Amino acid sequence: MIWSFVGQIGSTGISSVFILIFARFMPPSDFGVFASGALLMSLTAPVAGLGLATALVQRHSLDTRSLSTAFWISFGASALLGSLMVAFAGLIALLFKDPRIGNIILPLVVAMVIGSATTILTAVLR
């Protein structure tokens, strides 16, 4: 419970620091574009994880095969979903009525895919 609490505070704290840094150095209109893209990624990332991390935490014993399978499925799903986000970046920009959102989706997708790779590792620590 303590490690979970520390991990959650650390994760939230790091995210908050990055958002404050972006807010400080970006003009308000650019920060709005970043926030819109980040919102899309925060909604997409849990779907990409497929709940595999939670399933691993519930297992009584873990073997290398289960961990490897969960990792690659989670990573592949997030890469596929990220690829779809990049492919539809133009439509997403039209939805938000701002073409700049299309430009920020690729870096955010890369961050989401890398983040998904750590999800299974974090589950192992839990």
Side-chain angles (χ1 to χ4, degrees), residues 65-117:
R65 186 174 181 187
S66 297
L67 291 174
S68 178
T69 302
F71 173 82
W72 287 111
I73 288 174
S74 178
F75 186 78
S78 66
L80 177 65
L81 195 54
S83 297
L84 289 172
M85 295 288 290
V86 170
F88 291 108
L91 291 174
I92 293 169
L94 285 174
L95 177 70
F96 281 92
K97 297 179 183 172
D98 193 336
R100 297 175 298 166
I101 288 188
N103 298 333
I104 198 166
I105 286 180
L106 178 61
L108 289 173
V109 162
V110 169
M112 179 190 73
V113 171
I114 291 170
S116 77

Side-chain angles (χ1 to χ4, degrees), residues 39-63:
L39 172 67
L40 284 172
M41 293 307 120
S42 70
L43 295 173
T44 308
V47 173
L50 303 172
L52 293 173
T54 304
L56 286 177
V57 170
Q58 299 298 320
R59 289 182 62 107
H60 293 290
S61 64
L62 292 174
D63 58 356

